[in-house]
Amino acid sequence: MKDARIDRRMFLRGVGGATAGVAAASVLSACGTGTSRTAASGGGKSSKTLVVRDSGGTYGDANQKAIYEPFTKETGIQIQVVNIQYAQMLAQVQQGRPQFDVIDDSMSDFLRFKKAGATEDLDYDRLKNFKNAGIAKALVTSNAIGKNYWASVMAYRTDVWGGQKPSSWADFWDTKAFPGDRSLQGLDADRPVLEFALLADGVPLDKLYPLDVDRAFTSLDNIKGSVKKYWDTGALPGVLLGRKEVVASDVWHGRLDALIQQGSPLAYQWNGARRQSNALGIPKGAANLDTAYQLIDFALRPDVQAAYAELYPMAPSVPAAYKKLVPATAANLASSPEHLKSGFDMDVQWWDENGDAVAKRWQEWTHA
């Protein structure tokens, strides 16, 4: 997603309706009692305050419980959180006065930050927990280190096809074998799901990129007549499925968890899941560079990653975290060994270079 993006529209946006951060103001939500970024301490530990940007909502709540509070307890360093969007972050950096020291944001936005020269190149030698962590290469860039994964997956009603279950995007596209209205993610929610259209048309997972845009739209033509709604918010697929207005939809994983736990006849299908990731980085001009590295390193510890995943269904970037997760939690995460094999990482570089052209074509196609 764009900040999907965890911020702006994302699934982060979360399970149960995590909301986007406040874009109009630098609203600080303090974790702990520190109010000064350089306050003196009466105890043995530093009371310096570190300011972290994240997207808030239930995603931010999980950050506070699994990362910020334990970090403060261990180091004495207070954490304050600012919920602002990409444009405001960039403006602060370009003015030479960033009011935050660490950025928690999507890999897509970190690519944009890199182009704008707005983030520090990371010194990985300062991240001791990165060594031997086994973080996927796609999540290790010059200015960002992957923190966790989320995914777009298929969801469907379990009470409409006599026990038959769709097992692929080809099944989603097959309205004869699996009849009923569908829903698909629209442009206002995030990147159009061209990858799903290509998988439905037989393109292998490892041959998706660069995307064959013409082939993808030809495939989309085959499902268009059965698409009742192009959803624009993360909550809408659950509403449509719950009301039986559609029988299948793509969805940000985690969005249906509460409904499923309440007994709704809904299920996820992980085959062909499109993974994206959130990452951590440091803005140019950060006031507390050393402490920023401390927090990022802390967030990469397997026990911290596992604690976060137990609270919020975003998957660890550090494989060793799975050794600390209960099986039920591990089985429902995008980076589990099984799901890594059956899904794919969205190519953020390709989308950055081609997103505008695809968006224009998508708008034309949906209104044709």
Side-chain angles (χ1 to χ4, degrees), residues 144-190:
I145 177 69
K147 174 193 173 201
N148 43 29
Y149 291 95
W150 57 275
S152 294
V153 300
M154 184 197 308
Y156 62 94
R157 292 191 62 94
T158 60
D159 60 350
V160 293
W161 298 308
Q164 293 293 108
K165 300 178 181 180
S167 62
S168 66
W169 289 107
D171 288 344
F172 185 98
W173 254 246
D174 188 349
T175 56
K176 292 183 179 179
F178 298 93
D181 287 331
R182 268 65 163 159
S183 181
L184 282 175
Q185 179 175 286
L187 185 62
D188 288 338
D190 191 18

Side-chain angles (χ1 to χ4, degrees), residues 3 7-8 20-23 53 83-90:
D3 177 21
D7 266 342
R8 195 184 126 191
V22 178
R53 180 273 173 196
N83 303 142
I84 59 177
Q85 305 298 311
Y86 173 84
Q88 191 171 351
M89 286 189 280
L90 182 61

Side-chain angles (χ1 to χ4, degrees), residues 40-55:
S41 172
K45 295 181 180 179
S46 167
S47 65
K48 179 183 289 185
T49 297
L50 189 73
V51 181
V52 182
R53 180 273 173 196
D54 71 24
S55 57

Side-chain angles (χ1 to χ4, degrees), residues 6-345:
I6 280 190
D7 266 342
R8 195 184 126 191
R9 347 170 125 143
M10 170 167 169
F11 121 133
L12 295 202
R13 314 160 190 177
V15 179
T19 56
V22 178
S26 302
V27 179
L28 292 179
S29 171
C31 303
T33 58
T35 57
S36 169
R37 300 179 75 181
T38 57
S41 172
K45 295 181 180 179
S46 167
S47 65
K48 179 183 289 185
T49 297
L50 189 73
V51 181
V52 182
R53 180 273 173 196
D54 71 24
S55 57
T58 53
Y59 176 76
D61 292 343
N63 275 338
Q64 180 170 334
K65 293 176 182 177
I67 302 175
Y68 306 151
E69 290 177 0
F71 178 77
T72 295
K73 184 176 181 180
E74 183 171 303
T75 67
I77 299 169
Q78 305 296 325
I79 301 293
Q80 289 183 338
V81 179
V82 59
N83 303 142
I84 59 177
Q85 305 298 311
Y86 173 84
Q88 191 171 351
M89 286 189 280
L90 182 61
Q92 288 187 15
V93 173
Q94 291 176 333
Q95 291 164 7
R97 297 189 299 273
Q99 299 302 301
F100 47 94
D101 303 297
V102 175
I103 302 170
D104 181 326
D105 201 354
S106 69
M107 271 293 189
S108 295
D109 270 358
F110 274 110
L111 182 59
R112 299 163 71 194
F113 279 128
K114 179 66 176 180
K115 289 184 174 182
T119 44
E120 297 283 349
D121 282 345
L122 293 178
D123 180 355
Y124 282 95
D125 288 337
R126 301 177 72 169
L127 300 173
K128 66 179 186 300
N129 290 313
F130 170 72
K131 298 176 182 178
N132 302 316
I135 297 175
K137 291 181 180 179
L139 273 62
V140 181
T141 70
S142 62
N143 69 326
I145 177 69
K147 174 193 173 201
N148 43 29
Y149 291 95
W150 57 275
S152 294
V153 300
M154 184 197 308
Y156 62 94
R157 292 191 62 94
T158 60
D159 60 350
V160 293
W161 298 308
Q164 293 293 108
K165 300 178 181 180
S167 62
S168 66
W169 289 107
D171 288 344
F172 185 98
W173 254 246
D174 188 349
T175 56
K176 292 183 179 179
F178 298 93
D181 287 331
R182 268 65 163 159
S183 181
L184 282 175
Q185 179 175 286
L187 185 62
D188 288 338
D190 191 18
R191 305 291 194 186
V193 288
L194 302 193
E195 293 94 337
F196 299 160
L198 290 170
L199 291 172
D201 198 43
V203 177
L205 285 173
D206 60 351
K207 302 295 183 182
L208 280 172
Y209 299 101
L211 299 183
D212 185 334
V213 176
D214 290 337
R215 183 173 176 178
F217 276 96
T218 297
S219 178
L220 284 164
D221 285 338
N222 295 328
I223 195 70
K224 187 175 185 180
S226 295
V227 178
K228 183 174 184 177
K229 177 70 176 178
Y230 297 100
W231 53 268
D232 56 2
T233 67
L236 191 52
V239 172
L240 296 171
L241 286 162
R243 293 176 179 171
K244 215 170 183 178
E245 293 182 35
V246 302
V247 296
S249 178
D250 59 338
V251 64
W252 294 324
H253 169 251
R255 276 296 193 162
L256 304 184
D257 285 5
L259 293 173
I260 293 172
Q261 291 167 7
Q262 292 165 11
S264 294
L266 306 174
Y268 297 114
Q269 166 52 248
W270 280 92
N271 190 23
R274 182 171 76 172
R275 291 187 299 269
Q276 297 185 56
S277 58
N278 238 37
L280 297 170
I282 302 172
K284 286 280 189 183
N288 295 298
L289 191 63
D290 290 343
T291 315
Y293 273 106
Q294 275 187 267
L295 180 67
I296 293 173
D297 198 42
F298 183 85
L300 298 180
R301 284 179 12 184
D303 59 322
V304 174
Q305 292 242 315
Y308 183 93
E310 292 285 2
L311 291 170
Y312 193 85
M314 287 187 72
S317 63
V318 177
Y322 278 92
K323 297 178 181 179
K324 301 178 180 296
L325 288 170
V326 299
T329 298
N332 197 38
L333 295 172
S335 63
S336 71
E338 179 183 354
H339 296 155
L340 282 177
K341 294 177 182 178
S342 63
F344 64 94
D345 292 327

